Amino acid sequence: MSDLLDLLESPDEQDLRSGVRDMLAAECPWQTVLSFVSEGAEAYDAKLWRTVATGMGLAGLLVPESQGGAGAQWRAAAIVVEELGRAVAPVPFVSSAVVATTALGSSDEPSLLGRLASGELTAALAVPYGLWSAPTLLSVVDGAVTGTVRGVADALGAGLLLVPADDGLYAVDGAAVRRTRVLSLDETRPLADLEFRAAPARLVGSLSAVPCALRAAATMTAAEQIGLASWCLDETVGYLKERYQFGRPVGSFQALKHRLADLWVELTQARAVVAYAAADLAAGAADGRVAASLAKIVGSEVAVRAAEECVQMHGGIGFTWEHPAHLYLKRAKATAVAYGSPDRHRARLATLVDLPLEES
Amino acid sequence: MAEPITEADLRERISAFLADHDPAGDRLAFLRARFDAGLAWVHFPVGLGGLAAGRALQPVADDAFAAAGAPDNRPSRIGIGLGMAAPTILVHGTDAQRTRFLRPLWTGEEVWCQLFSEPGAGSDLAGLATRARRDGDGWLLDGQKVWTSMAHVARWAILLARTDPDVPKHAGLTFFVLDMTAPGVEVRPLRQLTGEAEFNEVYLTGVRVPDEHRLGDVGAGWKVAQTTLMNERVSIGGGALPREGGMIGVLARAWREQPAVRTPGMHDTVMRLWVRAEAARLTGLRVRQQLAAGAPGPDGSAVKLSFATLNQQISAAELDLRGDEGLRRDSWAMSRPDDVDFTGRDTGYRYLRAKGNSIEGGTSEVLRNIIAERVLGLPAEPRVDTRVAWKDLPR
């Protein structure tokens, strides 16, 4: 059945892609990202987020129209995320507009979705960035939550934290939580340690939405990884055409050409897998868990390899702070850990497709 | 322009055809009638076995005929004709050539082979030395070809020969259709490392070819061959498979059936290969969707390259996994199989045969160059042979 999913982009989807790409080319060149990282004070690029969230109306992409959103499908979200990944854009789109929004999917409080859709409020799911299964970490006593959660992505600037606790999903005002910035590998997406000390919490949804949110997170992170890998490939190809050594453009040497051809093959395949996983999420197809794990594995592997090759093939300049390659390397490695490393997803997949290590 | 054929139209035509022709009757008569009804390759022109429909409708036709228990045209036996000769004849052939060759090609009455590679010209195909000299209203061929599948059963061959040694190598080639029963054609089995003779050597000594069997202009052989080769790469590894449908399914079954041989290291290998096989399969699915949408991209070359690597890695892992059992072969006898069976036979056969996947149909190294230069736009390697007359090249 799943083979019937359409893996090609529609004209509308192509328009969405070029619209987002053009906006990011104008508003988010890598020099902007580099100064954001170097200054290191902000939770995210607030000006860029306004453009993405409100200007282009993307914060509510996945929110139903009845609640003020665009009611778009996952395929559209994957395209937006891919383009944001291409630009290593420091905005909380994945955390707020994808993961938190999905976690709130069955919320009893639709007004929250409306506020997220408008971009006035951002939210983060209060789980470690690398979490891949969905345990409940905290407890609620008399309407207040206590405990700590380490390494939460985009939590620093989130107005609202969504806390999976005991018997449900709770909303906690960001200001009521002690948030400590973590000096993290990827400063384009800062992490924070959260300390809840009897923070007032109200029940906003059921826990059953959390695994769905994490599955969507894995697929959308893979889309982000495709975007950043394709930037790395394009940038490297461009550089190797211009850089001369031994009297020839470096890109004419077979030793480098073959590596880039292999990278292109890997990226082409990852693109097909992510298209499949996004279409699969959109269709709510039964193969969803397999597709999400597949996407996260191939996305993580191609992103890390593309970024590593980009650094290497740029030679000395690729190893410097002033060249943007390191922004992509850090984002690639961090997203490989995010929402389950490839190794964790292979372990999950082994169970899903009946290839267990141990005899059952 | 007529309205394009819809899926409903096609199903209606097939139903009507099946009502008139008994699928259990004479096999050849059935296939000929199917061709004449335009239900052979539906995207071909009317009168040449098709309905000028979209490529995407072909599986509809194939599935409907299979469901009716109709005989197929043994596509694995005539794969070279279907995948390489037919599309080339369609694009570059004259009306007379199309009419003469396409029907018996499709019905399987006439098997085709491809005479491109030579002992001295494999990856450097344009360097080939087989000569075609003018001889009245025809040509005389002399040379040697190699790695020719199906030559021992083929009625016709597509052939690339040098007609002008005094110009650079790509400019001096001409494309012909060769009658394999003509005097002077000698086919010798070439035994491979599997023990089988799936391929042949073909010796051509003073073979006469009439000029009406030339395909395309004199000296335009390289351009014509590009059509053939592009179609070859699309057809290799391009079949629609379900999940675990290829060699990975064999490995997965071996894993499930033999808990005693499982180790953590092998588990990691199996899972990594499973993921890559599934990624390659989905890429193939996307390539077919691009083709069906009339927007073929370069992604097909990714399919061929990864198919070769994966088959080699999967078959090697399977041998490791099976251990002693994997060392037992079913036969070393020299046989002459019609097709390659990647999921049947024994583990050793799969391991050995897969070694050919990165060589046949363009080596992986040449394919990487093609991707790097034509897809990524990287600068070409310095070339020493493009402006020199072929006869002056060192060899």
Side-chain angles (χ1 to χ4, degrees):
Chain A
M1 296 312 285
S2 55
D3 284 359
L4 299 177
L5 294 175
D6 183 1
L7 306 183
L8 306 183
E9 253 169 45
S10 69
D12 282 352
E13 288 167 341
Q14 287 167 356
D15 288 348
L16 175 66
R17 179 184 295 284
S18 58
V20 177
R21 187 177 294 193
D22 291 349
M23 180 277 291
L24 288 167
E27 307 290 329
C28 185
W30 62 262
Q31 291 86 348
T32 303
V33 184
L34 188 60
S35 45
F36 172 83
V37 166
S38 301
E39 286 154 22
E42 303 291 326
Y44 54 83
D45 183 333
K47 177 170 168 283
L48 180 63
W49 176 242
R50 272 194 303 278
T51 306
V52 171
T54 323
M56 298 196 81
L58 296 175
L61 194 65
L62 290 169
V63 174
E65 287 179 64
S66 60
Q67 292 168 48
Q73 283 291 4
W74 283 105
R75 295 167 54 110
I79 286 166
V80 171
V81 173
E82 184 183 332
E83 292 304 319
L84 291 168
R86 251 190 101 80
V88 279
V91 290
F93 183 86
V94 175
S95 323
S96 184
V98 172
V99 182
T101 298
T102 313
L104 275 172
S106 59
S107 170
D108 304 330
E109 243 185 285
S111 67
L112 270 182
L113 281 174
R115 291 175 65 203
L116 289 179
S118 72
E120 76 175 80
L121 178 71
T122 65
L125 185 65
V127 298
Y129 194 32
L131 190 78
W132 65 300
S133 60
T136 51
L137 301 161
L138 302 174
S139 289
V140 177
V141 178
D142 296 336
V145 63
T146 299
T148 59
V149 184
R150 286 165 59 84
V152 181
D154 287 326
L156 273 180
L160 189 73
L161 296 167
L162 297 175
V163 184
D166 295 338
D167 53 349
L169 188 68
Y170 290 80
V172 175
D173 191 330
V177 181
R178 185 186 168 94
R179 291 179 280 187
T180 312
R181 186 184 184 114
V182 174
L183 215 50
S184 55
L185 182 72
D186 172 20
E187 287 289 82
T188 64
R189 179 172 290 148
L191 305 179
D193 290 342
L194 308 183
E195 191 180 348
F196 298 83
R197 293 184 192 166
R202 63 180 200 283
L203 188 66
V204 290
S206 85
L207 281 178
S208 65
V210 176
C212 297
L214 292 177
R215 195 183 107 193
T219 299
M220 291 300 120
T221 300
E224 178 182 340
Q225 290 168 322
I226 301 300
L228 83 88
S230 64
W231 181 91
C232 292
L233 178 62
D234 291 352
E235 193 71 9
T236 307
V237 165
Y239 180 72
L240 295 193
K241 286 185 198 174
E242 287 167 11
R243 168 83 172 161
Y244 275 68
Q245 296 279 270
F246 306 104
R248 284 162 59 182
V250 171
S252 70
F253 289 96
Q254 209 171 52
L256 299 181
K257 284 161 95 165
H258 284 195
R259 276 161 58 181
L260 285 175
D262 284 339
L263 182 58
W264 177 82
V265 169
E266 199 181 321
L267 180 56
T268 299
Q269 299 200 336
R271 205 175 278 291
V273 173
V274 171
Y276 173 72
D280 202 279
L281 270 178
D287 200 36
R289 290 193 299 165
V290 170
S293 284
L294 270 173
K296 187 62 189 19
I297 294 165
V298 298
S300 297
E301 290 180 345
V302 76
V304 171
R305 193 149 86 89
E308 289 177 349
E309 290 287 61
C310 182
V311 169
Q312 173 65 21
M313 293 195 195
H314 276 81
I317 188 71
F319 192 64
T320 65
W321 189 270
E322 68 193 80
H323 189 279
H326 66 94
L327 298 171
Y328 288 83
L329 178 66
K330 293 163 186 171
R331 176 72 77 88
K333 200 63 191 170
T335 54
V337 170
Y339 306 116
S341 65
D343 189 52
R344 295 224 184 258
H345 280 281
R346 274 192 295 271
R348 170 181 284 175
L349 203 50
T351 308
L352 293 174
V353 301
D354 185 29
L355 289 168
L357 173 58
E358 306 291 345
E359 199 173 357
S360 54
Chain B
M1 189 126 167
E3 286 293 301
I5 302 285
T6 65
E7 183 174 333
D9 294 338
L10 180 63
R11 289 190 186 280
E12 212 169 291
R13 282 167 190 259
I14 294 170
S15 300
F17 180 87
L18 288 169
D20 286 347
H21 299 84
D22 178 9
D26 181 71
R27 182 175 181 280
L28 187 56
F30 185 90
L31 289 172
R32 285 175 174 169
R34 182 177 159 185
F35 185 94
D36 294 338
L39 299 171
W41 35 42
V42 298
H43 57 289
F44 268 47
V46 175
L48 295 174
L51 297 168
R55 253 177 206 271
L57 291 182
Q58 185 65 38
V60 174
D62 291 339
D63 292 350
F65 279 104
D72 69 17
N73 56 346
R74 298 185 63 197
S76 67
R77 180 177 163 85
I78 61 170
I80 295 164
L82 293 173
M84 301 176 79
T88 312
I89 292 168
L90 182 68
V91 174
H92 299 281
T94 62
D95 285 344
Q97 288 168 339
R98 292 167 166 186
T99 308
R100 165 64 187 86
F101 292 125
L102 290 177
R103 186 177 189 254
L105 183 160
W106 187 85
T107 59
E109 290 165 79
E110 292 178 345
V111 175
W112 286 68
C113 65
Q114 179 254 88
L115 295 173
F116 284 7
S117 295
E118 299 185 3
S123 289
D124 183 13
L125 178 60
L128 58 83
T130 290
R131 285 295 311 274
R133 294 178 179 82
R134 275 283 187 186
D135 177 51
D137 59 352
W139 301 80
L140 279 182
L141 294 182
D142 286 282
Q144 183 194 348
K145 298 286 180 175
V146 77
W147 316 125
T148 316
S149 308
M150 308 305 287
H152 53 292
V153 290
R155 175 67 177 77
W156 297 100
I158 45 176
L159 174 141
L160 208 51
R162 183 161 308 281
T163 43
D164 187 351
D166 297 324
V167 294
K169 62 183 186 180
H170 291 91
L173 301 173
T174 303
F175 200 113
F176 295 97
V177 169
L178 174 72
D179 181 350
M180 291 293 286
T181 66
V185 178
E186 188 196 347
V187 177
R188 297 183 197 165
L190 180 62
R191 199 172 183 200
Q192 299 140 227
L193 46 62
T194 55
E196 297 184 335
E198 192 192 307
F199 298 118
N200 303 276
E201 298 176 294
V202 179
Y203 291 80
L204 306 166
T205 315
V207 181
R208 206 182 136 69
V209 178
D211 192 54
E212 63 257 32
H213 285 177
R214 174 166 50 80
L215 207 58
D217 292 336
V218 174
W222 187 250
K223 192 183 108 196
V224 181
Q226 291 310 303
T227 306
T228 315
L229 295 175
M230 263 167 30
N231 280 287
E232 177 183 37
R233 285 185 192 119
V234 170
S235 66
I236 290 181
L241 288 174
R243 179 173 288 167
E244 290 192 14
M247 207 185 257
I248 191 65
V250 178
L251 180 65
R253 273 192 300 283
W255 181 267
R256 290 180 189 123
E257 286 162 7
Q258 301 178 74
V261 300
R262 296 176 190 169
T263 63
M266 186 55 76
H267 190 237
D268 187 56
T269 300
V270 169
M271 290 313 301
R272 284 175 189 271
L273 290 171
W274 195 94
V275 166
R276 293 184 43 210
E278 184 62 8
R281 185 182 77 86
L282 291 170
T283 309
L285 182 64
R286 192 155 170 267
V287 167
R288 279 190 300 284
Q289 291 184 357
Q290 289 170 344
L291 276 175
D299 298 12
S301 49
V303 174
K304 154 73 167 106
L305 195 54
S306 57
F307 167 78
T309 312
L310 262 177
N311 262 2
Q312 292 173 350
Q313 293 179 348
I314 293 171
S315 60
E318 191 204 336
L319 231 166
D320 290 343
L321 176 67
R322 291 192 189 274
D324 288 338
E325 288 302 310
L327 299 179
R328 293 171 184 270
R329 288 229 53 205
D330 58 12
S331 168
W332 279 114
M334 187 177 112
S335 60
R336 312 215 65 192
D338 276 1
D339 53 15
V340 182
D341 185 0
F342 281 121
T343 52
R345 304 289 304 275
D346 60 41
T347 307
Y349 170 81
R350 283 191 281 280
Y351 171 72
L352 295 170
R353 182 58 187 79
K355 296 298 164 217
N357 293 155
S358 51
I359 302 169
E360 61 198 337
T363 64
S364 293
E365 288 70 24
V366 166
L367 216 46
R368 288 190 183 97
N369 278 356
I370 291 173
I371 291 169
E373 292 174 16
R374 298 196 201 155
V375 181
L376 298 177
L378 286 164
E381 298 260 321
R383 298 290 296 264
V384 297
D385 58 353
T386 48
R387 290 184 189 172
V388 181
W390 175 80
K391 65 178 168 47
D392 297 328
L393 288 174
R395 76 178 67 82

